[in-house]
């Protein structure tokens, strides 16, 4: 049996009548920038996250970079990010002219290790920017405590974390500001590019909205040099439909993750994702570690199972960040994770037979 990594079209097909009706409604509304579809989704997503405000933007990278600009982060400032995050987290810091300062993850959870953060703080540090990587909530309480005590802001990269819970509360309303991507493959995915921020701070919300709208509150009156980064009403209409299914789809992800955790518990040479007792992950990805990762990936491919690597090159080893001057060996945990991580198929539309085929293939390949 062939199992694809993720069948995106299946997520459209199961909701086709509702999504088609929502898109038709948006097209007939006469609102092609902003308007009721965008406002409706912003309200619904803020409520879902237990946040006071949601502001739609064009994509996840803009959500991060406008969040940093709203916090007045700029040249000369430093932002702490996890050394194994997706490169967009660092690119957002670079976009505002600040410097990303890398801190290693806890290899068990793949998330920024709070016990290593304080050693990285300097007089230039402005923001701690953890990622809820693979849908696992970052350990927010100690990060918030450090941020409050040291006068820093907490900005969360929630691009992989929709619906995940930290100590019982959904990610999205804990820190100063959370940046979201609705890239199609995310747990809450649009049919194109889309993003948003959530926050409890009305000043930050207003700043992101202004910055994403040419730096203007009032048409043709520009207070700051903003950009054009707005949530498209057609995507907002799609997202409103899909938001109603997010918890059910995340439950399906969780059931698959639990089946994998149980089925692989005894396999030698494989490390399973650790879930702290305070975490209820969104299971965006199911990432195992294997010392012979490349061999395992090949043996799975031979059996028709498609896997991916998130991510094969850590940001500090990318050519784009050669100027940070961080040689191989400078972040050994990030480098080891990049060599060992392997993402197995997981998704809300995955069928039981496919899950069992992955399990049989992994057990055979690991033996
Ligand atoms: C997807 C993703 C982003 C960027 O989102 P886009 O909408 O593609 O710009 C940022 N950070 C992380 C961790 C992501 O997974």
């Amino acid at each position: 049996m062939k199992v694809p990594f993720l069948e995106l079209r299946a997520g459209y097909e199961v909701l086709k009548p509702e999504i088609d009706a929502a898109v038709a409604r948006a097209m007939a509304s006469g609102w092609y920038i902003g308007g009721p579809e965008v406002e409706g989704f912003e309200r619904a997503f803020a409520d879902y996250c237990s946040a006071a405000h949601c502001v739609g933007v064009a994509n996840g990278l803009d959500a991060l970079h406008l969040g940093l600009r709203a916090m007045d982060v700029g040249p000369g400032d430093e932002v702490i990010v996890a050394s194994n995050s997706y490169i967009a987290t660092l690119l957002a810091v670079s976009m505002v002219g600040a410097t990303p300062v890398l801190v290693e993850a806890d290899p068990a959870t793949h998330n920024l290790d709070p016990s290593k953060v304080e050693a990285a703080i300097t007089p230039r540090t402005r923001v701690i920017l953890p990622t809820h990587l693979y849908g696992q909530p970052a350990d927010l309480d100690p990060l918030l405590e450090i941020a409050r005590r040291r006068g820093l802001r907490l900005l969360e990269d929630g691009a992989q974390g929709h619906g995940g819970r930290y100590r019982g509360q959904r990610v999205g309303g804990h820190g100063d500001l959370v940046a979201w991507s609705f890239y199609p493959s995310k747990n809450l995915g649009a049919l194109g590019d889309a993003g948003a921020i959530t926050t409890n701070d009305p000043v930050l919300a207003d700043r992101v909205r202004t910055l994403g709208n040419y730096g203007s509150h009032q048409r043709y009156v520009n207070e700051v040099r903003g950009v054009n980064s707005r949530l498209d009403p057609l995507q907002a209409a799609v997202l409103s439909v899909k938001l109603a299914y997010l918890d059910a789809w995340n439950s399906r992800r969780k059931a698959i993750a639990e089946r994998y955790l149980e089925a692989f518990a005894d396999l030698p040479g494989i490390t399973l994702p650790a879930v702290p007792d305070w975490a209820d992950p969104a299971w965006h990805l199911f990432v195992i570690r294997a010392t012979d990762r490349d061999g395992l990936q090949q043996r799975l491919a031979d059996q028709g199972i498609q896997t991916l690597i998130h991510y094969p090159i850590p940001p500090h080893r990318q050519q784009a960040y050669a100027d940070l001057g961080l040689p191989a060996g400078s972040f050994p945990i990030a480098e080891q994770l990049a060599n060992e991580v392997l993402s197995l198929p997981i998704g809300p539309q995955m069928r039981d037979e496919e899950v069992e085929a992955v399990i049989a293939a992994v057990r055979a390949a690991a033996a």
Side-chain angles (χ1 to χ4, degrees), residues 58-64 85-90 131-134 157-161 179-186 192-195 284-285 310-311:
N59 55 63
L61 179 60
D62 279 356
L64 286 164
S85 189
Y86 179 51
I87 195 152
T89 322
L90 280 80
T131 303
H132 300 292
L133 198 67
Y134 310 149
D157 183 340
Q160 303 187 0
W180 302 94
S181 165
F182 306 117
Y183 182 83
S185 65
K186 309 291 180 168
D193 275 314
H284 174 60
L285 296 171
H310 298 93
Y311 299 92

Side-chain angles (χ1 to χ4, degrees), residues 77-137:
D77 294 335
E78 293 177 354
V79 176
I80 290 176
V81 300
S83 56
N84 64 331
S85 189
Y86 179 51
I87 195 152
T89 322
L90 280 80
L91 291 174
V93 177
S94 304
M95 279 173 85
V96 301
T99 303
V101 172
L102 298 169
V103 170
E104 295 266 54
D106 173 348
T109 62
H110 299 275
N111 266 326
L112 182 63
D113 186 341
S115 72
K116 296 193 171 144
V117 166
E118 286 213 80
I121 295 175
T122 75
R124 293 170 180 268
T125 309
R126 299 287 315 283
V127 174
I128 304 174
L129 202 182
T131 303
H132 300 292
L133 198 67
Y134 310 149
Q136 295 251 25

Side-chain angles (χ1 to χ4, degrees), residues 216-232:
S216 148
H217 277 100
Q218 193 189 330
R219 194 177 290 193
Y220 309 131
V221 180
N222 301 83
E223 300 139 49
V224 287
R225 288 196 286 269
V227 298
N228 174 354
S229 183
R230 301 177 289 226
L231 175 60
D232 184 299

Side-chain angles (χ1 to χ4, degrees), residues 21-282:
V23 169
R25 184 184 69 216
M27 288 196 291
S29 74
W31 288 90
Y32 306 117
I33 298 287
E37 294 295 342
V38 174
E39 285 161 20
F41 173 71
E42 287 176 342
R43 189 65 263 144
F45 194 61
D47 290 348
Y48 180 83
C49 296
S50 306
H53 308 275
C54 171
V55 179
V57 297
N59 55 63
L61 179 60
D62 279 356
L64 286 164
H65 118 257
L66 295 177
L68 288 166
R69 271 196 74 182
M71 293 173 174
D72 276 326
V73 178
D77 294 335
E78 293 177 354
V79 176
I80 290 176
V81 300
S83 56
N84 64 331
S85 189
Y86 179 51
I87 195 152
T89 322
L90 280 80
L91 291 174
V93 177
S94 304
M95 279 173 85
V96 301
T99 303
V101 172
L102 298 169
V103 170
E104 295 266 54
D106 173 348
T109 62
H110 299 275
N111 266 326
L112 182 63
D113 186 341
S115 72
K116 296 193 171 144
V117 166
E118 286 213 80
I121 295 175
T122 75
R124 293 170 180 268
T125 309
R126 299 287 315 283
V127 174
I128 304 174
L129 202 182
T131 303
H132 300 292
L133 198 67
Y134 310 149
Q136 295 251 25
D139 194 358
L140 293 174
D141 280 351
L143 295 174
L144 273 166
E145 190 278 319
I146 296 167
R148 297 291 175 255
R149 185 159 42 78
R150 305 291 298 256
L152 310 175
R153 299 274 211 170
L154 189 75
L155 167 63
E156 301 160 44
D157 183 340
Q160 303 187 0
H162 319 76
R165 285 174 189 268
Y166 178 71
R167 296 192 185 276
Q169 187 192 327
R170 285 201 191 101
V171 166
H174 294 86
D176 293 298
L177 191 140
V178 184
W180 302 94
S181 165
F182 306 117
Y183 182 83
S185 65
K186 309 291 180 168
N187 287 37
L188 179 59
L191 301 179
D193 275 314
I197 64 96
T198 53
T199 179
N200 291 315
D201 182 334
V203 175
L204 290 179
D206 179 67
R207 282 195 191 149
V208 170
R209 196 178 294 288
T210 308
L211 285 166
N213 190 36
Y214 293 118
S216 148
H217 277 100
Q218 193 189 330
R219 194 177 290 193
Y220 309 131
V221 180
N222 301 83
E223 300 139 49
V224 287
R225 288 196 286 269
V227 298
N228 174 354
S229 183
R230 301 177 289 226
L231 175 60
D232 184 299
L234 295 182
Q235 299 304 339
V238 172
L239 289 166
S240 292
V241 171
K242 292 181 93 177
L243 179 59
Y245 294 89
L246 179 56
D247 283 347
W249 288 17
N250 278 352
S251 300
R252 176 63 183 154
R253 289 177 181 274
K254 184 177 181 175
I256 296 167
E258 282 174 352
R259 182 76 191 95
Y260 284 161
L261 287 171
E262 175 202 334
F264 303 145
D266 62 336
L267 285 189
I270 285 184
T271 307
L272 296 172
V275 181
D277 57 9
W278 42 257
D280 188 6

